[in-house]
Amino acid sequence: MKKLTSALAIALAVASSTSVVAQSNNDVLSVDDIPKIKSVIQPKVSPNGAYVAFTRSKPRELYKDENGKNYSELYIVDDKGNERSFITGDVSVRNLQWSNDGKHVYFLAKLNGEKHTALYHIPFNGGQAQQVMSLKDTGINNYRISPNGKQVALLAKPAKDKTEKELKKLGFMAEVYEYDLKSQQLFIVDLAQSDKPLSPEAINIEQYVGAVEWSPTGDTLLVKTQLSALIDDQYMQSAWHLYNVASKETVLSFKTEGKLGAAEFSHDGKYIAMRGSEDKHDPADGRLFLANAQTGEVKEWLPNFMGHIGDFEWANKSNTLYFVANVNTHSSIEKIKVGSNKSKPAVKAGKVIASNLSLSDSDKTLSYKGHSAQHPSEIFFQRGKKSIKLTDSNPWLKDKRFAKQETLTFKARDGVTIDGVMVYPLDYQKGTSYPLIMVVHGGPESHVPDGWVTGYSRPGQMAAARGYAVFYPNYRGSTGKGVAYSKLGQNDYAGKEFDDLVDFKKHLVDMGIADTKRVGITGGSYGGYASAWAATKLTEHFAASVMFVGISNQLSKFGTTDIPNEMHLVHARSYPWDKWQYYLERSPIYWAGQSKTPLLIMHGKDDPRVHPAQSMELYRYMKVQGKDVRLVYYPGEGHGNRKVAAQYDYSLRLMRWFDNYLIDGNKEMPTHKLDHAEKLKAVKNAGKEKAEDKACECNDEDSAAEKA
């Protein structure tokens, strides 16, 4: 068996990243390409099915734009793929809805320097966006327009008391933890344009309102509530209610035990489809339920479904439900009729990973968002049996070469079937072993589908282009294989679920793909926990590790997270005080002294889910014992980096860490510094040269005009 040497690996992988200033001629995906990638966010098909309104991300320019998330722009595309831009630039448009007559597209945004998010619409046939309404001293978080187009249900938090700001200036800033929370309220107002901010009276609902949907007749609302604004209550203490608009009363309530997702009325209002959990210990809201809107009876619609349900949408002419079926690493779009317990495929599995379904009024046109191994999320359009990709957000990706990608399935040491998505090294040669990066998903109630797997924290194709094999394991406890499978890791923190990671490694080494001495591991959240466990307890198996927003101490994690109820019910199935020693021994800090794996730790400094102190603990336990460890905090970031500069910085550090140990074979840690200052200077110089060139062109034109 041959091993790829460092020099050859670098030559084949084109390890040097592209310049931020100059356009690269490389035909492979680089670290500097990742921040440029655009993707479709929300598609919404028009009532007549001829058009799709959609939002698309607009990346910020590194070293130029002010720090922040990517922007989102509004476009409309027809059924031939012809796009029109409607609202572009430094804007953030979201929550699209067509008017019933298809003449306007409604959306939420802050335009023209507004302080709070307002409701707008823009004419389909051309014209400027106009503000429909805003609320006084607070923003609109969500909305739903009634079926007759005369009313709108708004979700918003109450306006801040102006005295709070004054008191804050005077130093009165005490925070009562988990009590000083603003509850989201429901408002129902007439859909009429208003020049002045509104101060409507909130509907008398005591609990936090999380979502709302109109009935087909418009006389009833589906209202989702939770006990408080806490994320733990959203996960574990939610319920749907039928609210009578005229009487202002709740007439029925629908609840499944455990997690509860979306709900929607059937076209005739007799039924309600809901996504929920099988029981309170089910880690995901991936089961499909059907509720009777008259009696309140709730039944699981597909009790034996061996996968997880994603988005769904009722047909407009019949009691037929379209839904996304996530099974193993693939997805399909299925349809099922009320009275049946068998679904039929509308879009077969294996084409794309689908989400965000939208149906035209006639039900003849289905639009959805889909991504694949070759492209991020785009709009797909289906009439009859023909499915068409309407958008191409990144035409430059066609000039890039992509490595082979496929799903690998095998049995773990105890016979449990596990799978994952394999991205082979670009120009892979059978019989040659390569450095491997294992990317572990979080949750663990999620899974990696066989679609687009490249992002700022997921090396995918950019690592494959550098000569790495990249593997995304769906270890036991992952979704996509039914409820029982998703519970396999419960009450066994870092047990068999992480033993699966070693089995994955052994399998890839046995296949001849991975070099057993050059295997790295990374992941975020629960994947960060796996990365920390790999660097400590399983240190002999991994040559380098990058831990992102990960867990290092299960005892202190419980006391510092914002999801303690969820942790108890769907992960640990016990409390720390039930078995202190067990929790300690399932914590990476307990094994830090035996670590031989260089560990890079990165964490958002404002993370409410996994407190940044989790990273500090492991750093300190390893540092004091002389281990190779580095800790990088990102101020202003939470449970994952959302702002572009922090994402880019993360990518650079991630790949440099693995290059240093897995390709270059170094024993010392790489420098902690990055060349951001030099890149900023280069961008400024390039901008100055461009301005000078433009000035010269203008002068030449003026001279020519004078001679003429």
Side-chain angles (χ1 to χ4, degrees):
M1 182 68 65
K2 294 183 292 181
K3 291 184 180 179
L4 203 63
T5 65
S6 296
L8 181 58
I10 295 171
L12 289 177
V14 195
S16 59
S17 63
T18 58
S19 168
V20 177
V21 183
Q23 178 64 39
S24 170
N25 293 320
N26 287 346
D27 62 351
V28 298
L29 205 63
S30 74
V31 173
D32 287 331
D33 288 323
I34 304 305
K36 302 173 188 174
I37 292 173
K38 300 178 181 180
S39 64
V40 167
I41 303 167
Q42 182 198 1
K44 204 73 176 176
V45 71
S46 63
N48 65 7
Y51 304 91
V52 180
F54 68 97
T55 51
R56 175 189 283 140
S57 64
K58 179 203 171 188
R60 293 187 183 234
E61 272 195 81
L62 289 167
Y63 307 107
K64 283 187 178 181
D65 286 343
E66 185 178 338
N67 188 31
K69 304 175 188 176
N70 282 339
Y71 300 107
S72 59
E73 302 176 317
L74 174 63
Y75 296 84
I76 292 181
V77 62
D78 66 19
D79 55 7
K80 304 293 189 300
N82 301 307
E83 279 187 27
R84 279 193 293 159
S85 58
F86 274 66
I87 302 175
T88 59
D90 297 349
V91 294
S92 293
V93 175
R94 61 184 177 89
N95 292 52
L96 306 183
Q97 185 175 338
W98 286 87
S99 61
N100 290 347
D101 57 11
K103 292 182 179 180
H104 291 83
V105 177
Y106 288 87
F107 61 91
L108 295 179
K110 286 189 231 178
L111 302 180
N112 307 316
E114 284 97 345
K115 188 176 180 181
H116 301 291
T117 300
L119 177 64
Y120 293 82
H121 69 185
I122 190 167
F124 166 70
N125 289 325
Q128 295 296 314
Q130 295 181 321
Q131 187 181 112
V132 177
M133 64 179 63
S134 63
L135 297 179
K136 189 174 182 180
D137 297 327
T138 190
I140 300 172
N141 294 331
N142 208 339
Y143 74 98
R144 288 292 184 271
I145 297 171
S146 64
N148 62 11
K150 294 182 179 180
Q151 290 182 302
V152 59
L154 305 174
L155 296 184
K157 293 185 178 181
K160 289 183 178 179
D161 189 337
K162 291 182 179 179
T163 58
E164 288 182 23
K165 189 174 182 180
E166 188 177 348
L167 286 168
K168 193 173 183 179
K169 286 182 179 179
L170 296 171
F172 295 93
M173 296 179 287
E175 297 178 1
V176 183
Y177 187 60
E178 293 189 346
Y179 277 86
D180 290 337
L181 302 172
K182 300 291 184 183
S183 185
Q184 188 163 261
Q185 298 173 312
L186 169 64
F187 304 87
I188 300 175
V189 298
D190 291 336
L191 186 62
Q193 206 153 338
S194 174
D195 295 332
K196 295 182 179 179
L198 305 177
S199 298
E201 186 177 339
I203 300 298
N204 186 23
I205 297 175
E206 291 183 6
Q207 296 185 339
Y208 182 102
V209 181
V212 63
E213 298 288 344
W214 287 94
S215 68
T217 55
D219 59 352
T220 310
L221 282 170
L222 260 177
V223 180
K224 190 181 185 185
T225 65
Q226 59 193 67
L227 293 179
S228 74
L230 294 173
I231 192 72
D232 212 13
D233 286 341
Q234 178 188 324
Y235 285 169
M236 308 307 300
Q237 298 291 339
S238 293
W240 282 99
H241 312 277
L242 275 186
Y243 179 83
N244 187 288
V245 176
S247 67
K248 298 181 180 180
E249 293 178 338
T250 298
V251 294
L252 275 177
S253 293
F254 307 90
K255 191 179 187 306
T256 60
E257 190 181 40
K259 294 183 178 180
L260 187 61
E264 187 181 321
F265 278 103
S266 62
H267 86 104
D268 58 6
K270 293 181 179 178
Y271 301 96
I272 298 166
M274 297 193 303
R275 202 177 64 240
S277 302
E278 185 178 87
D279 56 42
K280 65 182 179 181
H281 300 303
D282 186 346
D285 60 345
R287 315 311 294 165
L288 183 61
F289 292 87
L290 185 65
N292 187 304
Q294 281 75 43
T295 66
E297 181 186 21
V298 180
K299 289 184 177 180
E300 190 170 355
W301 203 344
L302 295 170
N304 299 316
F305 179 63
M306 296 305 290
H308 280 77
I309 305 296
D311 189 36
F312 58 81
E313 185 87 356
W314 281 102
N316 295 295
K317 301 294 183 183
S318 66
N319 283 341
T320 301
L321 187 78
Y322 289 75
F323 66 92
V324 175
N326 295 308
V327 181
N328 298 321
T329 61
H330 300 288
S331 76
S332 63
I333 300 176
E334 305 283 315
K335 57 183 180 180
I336 186 171
K337 292 182 178 180
V338 172
S340 172
N341 59 2
K342 290 184 179 180
S343 63
K344 296 179 180 179
V347 178
K348 292 182 179 178
K351 294 185 177 180
V352 294
I353 306 302
S355 64
N356 294 76
L357 306 183
S358 182
L359 281 163
S360 65
D361 284 354
S362 67
D363 296 330
K364 292 181 180 179
T365 302
L366 169 68
S367 79
Y368 58 96
K369 188 169 77 172
H371 63 89
S372 74
Q374 283 73 44
H375 62 79
S377 292
E378 301 287 0
I379 294 175
F380 286 78
F381 192 82
Q382 178 145 329
R383 286 190 185 134
K385 294 182 178 179
K386 190 176 182 182
S387 192
I388 305 169
K389 182 162 78 76
L390 288 183
T391 58
D392 185 7
S393 302
N394 304 281
W396 55 275
L397 285 179
K398 290 187 177 70
D399 298 326
K400 302 290 184 180
R401 293 189 301 128
F402 286 91
K404 175 186 173 184
Q405 180 175 312
E406 67 178 348
T407 298
L408 299 180
T409 303
F410 72 103
K411 291 188 183 297
R413 66 188 73 173
D414 61 354
V416 171
T417 299
I418 50 180
D419 65 32
V421 177
M422 181 73 210
V423 182
Y424 290 83
L426 194 64
D427 301 321
Y428 168 68
Q429 297 177 12
K430 192 172 182 179
T432 301
S433 58
Y434 295 81
L436 169 72
I437 301 175
M438 192 177 291
V439 188
V440 187
H441 68 72
E445 64 276 14
S446 64
H447 70 282
V448 179
D450 196 353
W452 184 256
V453 293
T454 305
Y456 81 94
S457 64
R458 304 197 303 164
Q461 292 288 342
M462 71 171 169
R466 298 161 85 102
Y468 291 97
V470 186
F471 186 69
Y472 296 82
N474 289 319
Y475 49 98
R476 70 188 70 200
S478 301
T479 53
K481 295 181 175 66
V483 176
Y485 190 92
S486 68
K487 291 181 178 180
L488 287 179
Q490 292 183 356
N491 196 24
D492 189 23
Y493 275 147
K496 292 180 180 178
E497 59 186 2
F498 291 170
D499 288 344
D500 287 347
L501 304 179
V502 176
D503 291 351
F504 278 121
K505 176 199 167 180
K506 183 178 182 301
H507 183 70
L508 296 174
V509 170
D510 290 345
M511 286 179 68
I513 298 172
D515 178 352
T516 189
K517 293 182 179 179
R518 293 191 293 161
V519 178
I521 187 168
T522 187
S525 193
Y526 210 83
Y529 177 32
S531 303
W533 192 252
T536 54
K537 181 65 167 70
L538 303 177
T539 186
E540 71 271 20
H541 299 287
F542 297 94
S545 178
V546 178
M547 167 189 174
F548 188 34
V549 294
I551 303 158
S552 68
N553 184 346
Q554 288 291 2
L555 291 169
S556 58
K557 162 67 161 54
F558 184 85
T560 55
T561 186
D562 61 352
I563 52 168
N565 195 30
E566 193 219 16
M567 281 182 64
H568 163 63
L569 288 172
V570 305
H571 299 306
R573 300 290 292 269
S574 64
Y575 290 111
W577 48 86
D578 294 330
K579 40 187 181 180
W580 295 106
Q581 189 62 27
Y582 164 85
Y583 274 73
L584 181 59
E585 291 182 13
R586 298 302 174 102
S587 301
I589 59 164
Y590 187 80
W591 306 98
Q594 70 176 31
S595 176
K596 296 177 182 177
T597 305
L599 176 63
L600 172 61
I601 306 172
M602 295 190 273
H603 211 130
K605 212 169 182 180
D606 298 326
D607 188 350
R609 195 79 10 89
V610 178
H611 197 280
Q614 288 289 304
S615 288
M616 176 67 80
E617 283 193 56
L618 186 55
Y619 170 79
R620 192 62 70 205
Y621 272 68
M622 292 185 69
K623 184 75 172 177
V624 169
Q625 297 183 75
K627 307 302 178 182
D628 287 339
V629 63
R630 177 171 294 154
L631 173 59
V632 179
Y633 275 141
Y634 290 100
E637 296 290 356
H639 198 55
N641 292 352
R642 298 181 182 275
K643 297 173 185 175
V644 177
Q647 291 182 344
Y648 179 60
D649 185 278
Y650 182 96
S651 296
L652 291 174
R653 294 182 189 279
L654 172 78
M655 294 313 304
R656 185 178 64 179
W657 194 262
F658 286 134
D659 286 352
N660 184 69
Y661 293 107
L662 305 184
I663 286 183
D664 298 338
N666 292 330
K667 300 298 182 184
E668 301 297 323
M669 289 192 292
T671 176
H672 69 282
K673 296 179 180 179
L674 293 177
D675 58 351
H676 291 311
E678 289 300 315
K679 289 180 178 179
L680 174 61
K681 192 183 297 182
V683 168
K684 285 183 175 180
N685 289 338
K688 193 181 295 183
E689 290 174 7
K690 190 175 180 181
E692 289 172 354
D693 290 343
K694 192 172 182 180
C696 289
E697 288 174 9
C698 291
N699 291 334
D700 290 343
E701 288 173 5
D702 290 342
S703 298
E706 287 174 6
K707 288 178 181 178

